[in-house]
Amino acid sequence: MNLGEPIASGNTANIYFYENTIIKIFKDHLPDTEPEYEARKQRVAYGSGLRVPNIIDVKKVNGKQAIIMEYVDGKTLGELVTENMAQVESFLQKSVDIQIDIHTVLAESLEPMRNKLHRQIEAVEGLDEQVKTSLLMKLESMDVENRLCHGDFHLYNLIKSGEEVFIIDWVDASAGDPRADVCRTYILYTQVSVEMAELYLKLYCEKSGRGRKEILEWAPIIAAARLSENVATEDSNRLMKYISNGGE
């Protein structure tokens, strides 16, 4: 199968557009179980009625593990905001509505967020062991729900197609606490624009009825877990401040 050049590439997979489908081909270092595991998360979201690309098949393509899914024609809200910053509040409003909808879904069949965060914090290199222990104790003390959490929710994972908005990239989804999911989004936005992050959090609190303090209580845990991802563009010193300052 001649797929041509990938339209996107990441640490775990290359993405191709082929005959009006998206083919996500996983890199060789990942276990053979990874595509089905990721596809199951997306199927849970799709089956709940959320606007999510449908999984067509999970199989080998050109000898490599792959997911074949529905193609959604459109631009991400992130791209649209970049083209016209005047739309940022409108699109953040829309994204918050979508995130709240995601969090209404019960997701007991997915990996518990607490387990995932525990594993990530344990894996952080260079973090003082006493700090790790303190963070893990804090994680265990937190009340955690079993709601569907996207795990990497931001404007670039929302595609506007006509009048609908589709949610993509479910690889980090888990069953967990909405406040932790929102806290991660907030921390991701602060890397780009503190002003946008604060607007997002303000809108979320207004729409959800949750308080800023109960969301940012998760910040040290989420920041430490983010450190384990070793993202080249991420400022580790910035994340360490969340760990040291307790969120604020």
Side-chain angles (χ1 to χ4, degrees):
M1 185 183 294
N2 183 13
L3 298 176
E5 293 298 313
I7 59 172
S9 184
N11 292 331
T12 61
N14 291 322
I15 311 295
Y16 299 85
F17 175 69
Y18 181 77
E19 294 186 351
N20 210 37
T21 65
I22 291 295
I23 301 181
K24 182 172 186 176
I25 296 186
F26 289 78
K27 296 189 175 176
D28 293 336
H29 68 275
L30 292 166
D32 289 346
T33 54
E34 187 67 23
E36 187 55 54
Y37 181 59
E38 181 177 330
R40 185 162 63 87
K41 297 177 183 182
Q42 192 160 323
R43 286 178 178 133
V44 167
Y46 181 85
S48 71
L50 296 168
R51 286 283 179 265
V52 177
N54 189 23
I55 299 290
I56 297 168
D57 203 355
V58 179
K59 66 178 186 179
K60 285 193 173 183
V61 173
N62 295 343
K64 296 181 181 293
Q65 297 289 338
I67 297 175
I68 303 172
M69 69 186 83
E70 173 189 7
Y71 169 65
V72 177
D73 185 24
K75 288 186 175 182
T76 68
L77 297 192
E79 290 171 316
L80 293 172
V81 164
T82 301
E83 292 171 4
N84 181 6
M85 283 302 293
Q87 298 181 98
V88 66
E89 183 166 355
S90 170
F91 284 147
L92 284 175
Q93 291 259 19
K94 179 65 176 175
S95 77
V96 166
D97 291 338
I98 292 169
Q99 195 170 25
I100 289 172
D101 284 344
I102 293 171
H103 294 156
T104 65
V105 178
L106 285 171
E108 284 98 339
S109 64
L110 298 185
E111 178 187 20
M113 177 190 285
R114 197 196 301 272
N115 293 2
K116 181 182 178 184
L117 291 172
H118 191 287
R119 187 172 65 250
Q120 288 178 306
I121 292 170
E122 285 275 25
V124 178
E125 296 179 2
L127 188 61
D128 184 86
E129 288 301 320
Q130 285 188 323
V131 174
K132 276 189 187 182
T133 299
S134 175
L135 288 169
L136 292 173
M137 288 177 63
K138 182 176 177 65
L139 173 60
E140 290 305 313
S141 73
M142 301 289 269
D143 291 329
V144 179
E145 300 177 33
N146 285 319
R147 299 287 174 173
L148 178 60
C149 292
H150 184 275
D152 195 28
F153 189 84
H154 51 75
L155 295 179
Y156 282 95
N157 277 334
L158 298 170
I159 296 179
K160 190 173 190 302
S161 181
E163 295 304 308
E164 295 186 317
V165 177
F166 287 77
I167 316 150
I168 62 170
D169 196 4
W170 288 87
V171 64
D172 292 310
S174 64
D177 197 284
R179 293 165 297 184
D181 203 37
V182 170
C183 186
R184 178 175 165 93
T185 300
Y186 172 80
I187 287 175
L188 291 175
Y189 283 154
T190 58
Q191 183 183 4
V192 179
S193 165
V194 172
E195 183 180 20
M196 188 171 82
E198 291 297 340
L199 176 58
Y200 158 75
L201 191 56
K202 174 176 172 288
L203 292 171
Y204 179 83
C205 290
E206 288 174 353
K207 287 175 176 286
S208 68
R210 295 185 186 270
R212 174 188 175 92
K213 184 177 179 180
E214 63 180 304
I215 292 165
L216 293 184
E217 187 180 7
W218 280 92
I221 295 166
I222 298 301
R226 174 74 171 165
L227 277 173
S228 75
E229 297 171 27
N230 296 314
V231 178
T233 56
E234 180 61 88
D235 180 0
S236 59
N237 291 327
R238 185 181 77 90
L239 295 175
M240 286 302 300
K241 287 179 182 176
Y242 284 111
I243 296 169
S244 301
N245 298 342
E248 291 287 355

